[in-house]
Amino acid sequence: LFHKETIMYCIIILQGLDDATTKSINGPRVTELIAKLIPNPATFALVLRCVRLWAKQRGVYSNKMGFLGGVNWAILVAFVCQLFPTAAPARLLQKFFSLYQEWKWPTEIRLCHPYEVDYLDMKQWDPTVDRSEKYHVMPIITPAYPCQNSSYNVSHSTLDIMLGEFKRGKEIVKEICDKGWDDQRTKEEWATLFEPSEFFLRYGTYVVVQASAPANEEKMLHAWVGYIESRIRKLVEYLQRTPLRKIFPYPKKIEFVPETSEEEEKEDGQKLKYIRWYIGILRHPVRS
């Protein structure tokens, strides 16, 4: 058996692996490398916890739906910690929102310089070699060899949504930091940052994607969730080519078993369970 340090960092174990296995084993290697590349693990963990809660509340936490997932947010927080190694958590949170709202995307985010391993020669993210990678809109590069873009699912529409949320977060945290600390007032202002998204009030038109199955076959229904969410991402990419102003694929699915009407049931009287996903749309005032 390999020692833990060997498993995580020794590149020799990548020899002879196919692409799928390499990506699988790179998961824990990336996590361990992030931990070694940050200056203050305790501060990093606290800020990351805040960012993940904020992202989930604001509806921008889902890799499959074209937003960012756990490793993406971890790399973004780690990068801010590298830039401001002595900053307090509240100040790092302010820098986080400010930096990424003003960042010149698609300039990539990296925690360390890329490197090559001659005897492996594995494909790494490099838009100068692979022209298709030039079209990645928000590249966040993993630190472990072979480095890859962990956010290739992000589209122009979802990036636009995230930039709006970065701006909102920047304004709220800046106001808190500028006013100074007051226990009661500051708690209320921090709570504002983590308020749920106003998704269902923000848009005039919604596209609904619905899946259903007999209520006693819930496991079968959930087996389709990942596939459906990946297709919703493709639908958003298609809608981007139409004259619409804004498209927001809300990542939180809604599950329910209706209590009403015979038409909601199968012929044998068995109730159906439903899962719905919503896409908010703002029409262009002139072109649509």
Side-chain angles (χ1 to χ4, degrees), residues 51-65:
V51 167
R52 283 179 169 169
L53 174 60
W54 162 83
K56 290 175 181 178
Q57 289 291 91
R58 302 304 298 173
V60 291
Y61 193 105
S62 175
N63 193 284
K64 286 182 181 177
M65 297 281 279

Side-chain angles (χ1 to χ4, degrees), residues 210 256 258-266 270-272 274 276:
Q210 178 172 286
F256 64 97
E259 299 179 357
T260 58
S261 81
E262 299 176 358
E263 59 189 54
E264 296 285 0
E265 301 180 359
K266 292 179 67 177
Q270 188 177 18
K271 286 187 175 294
L272 296 177
Y274 293 84
R276 285 180 180 171

Side-chain angles (χ1 to χ4, degrees), residues 58-249:
R58 302 304 298 173
V60 291
Y61 193 105
S62 175
N63 193 284
K64 286 182 181 177
M65 297 281 279
F67 293 102
L68 301 181
V71 69
N72 311 128
W73 293 116
I75 293 173
L76 292 183
V77 172
F79 187 67
V80 174
C81 290
Q82 287 181 335
L83 293 179
F84 308 98
T86 61
R91 189 62 66 182
L92 281 173
L93 204 54
Q94 180 186 359
K95 296 294 185 182
F96 173 89
F97 290 119
S98 176
L99 177 68
Y100 295 122
Q101 193 261 325
E102 299 170 4
W103 190 262
K104 303 301 182 185
W105 304 106
T107 304
E108 72 269 18
I109 297 291
R110 289 184 184 270
L111 297 181
C112 58
H113 294 294
Y115 56 92
E116 295 290 343
V117 179
D118 294 336
Y119 60 85
L120 287 179
D121 193 29
M122 290 183 169
K123 183 181 182 301
Q124 302 201 81
W125 187 85
D126 187 350
T128 63
V129 175
D130 187 341
R131 292 192 175 185
S132 66
E133 292 173 346
K134 290 183 178 180
Y135 302 102
H136 292 180
V137 300
M138 192 183 188
I140 301 171
I141 311 304
T142 57
Y145 178 88
C147 65
Q148 303 292 333
N149 178 17
S150 63
S151 53
Y152 59 88
N153 285 339
V154 175
S155 65
H156 290 285
S157 293
T158 52
L159 175 60
D160 183 56
I161 298 296
M162 286 188 282
L163 290 176
E165 292 298 334
F166 289 145
K167 182 179 179 182
R168 174 186 177 273
K170 179 182 76 171
E171 292 170 351
I172 292 173
V173 179
K174 182 178 184 302
E175 185 176 356
I176 294 171
C177 292
D178 289 347
K179 284 182 178 178
W181 190 267
D182 176 89
D183 284 349
Q184 187 58 39
R185 190 202 72 238
T186 306
K187 286 180 181 178
E188 294 173 356
E189 290 175 340
W190 278 116
T192 303
L193 177 67
F194 302 105
E195 285 179 351
S197 170
E198 309 83 3
F199 173 79
F200 289 102
L201 301 174
R202 194 184 301 175
Y203 298 92
T205 304
Y206 293 88
V207 174
V208 181
V209 178
Q210 178 172 286
S212 64
N216 63 351
E217 297 184 15
E218 181 178 348
K219 188 174 181 180
M220 180 186 71
L221 180 60
H222 281 274
W224 283 89
V225 166
Y227 175 78
I228 294 171
E229 290 180 345
S230 68
R231 296 302 92 189
I232 291 174
R233 188 180 73 247
K234 293 296 183 181
L235 173 60
V236 170
E237 292 175 3
Y238 170 77
L239 291 174
Q240 285 178 162
R241 300 193 289 270
T242 65
L244 296 172
R245 183 179 175 187
K246 184 171 285 191
I247 307 163
F248 187 166

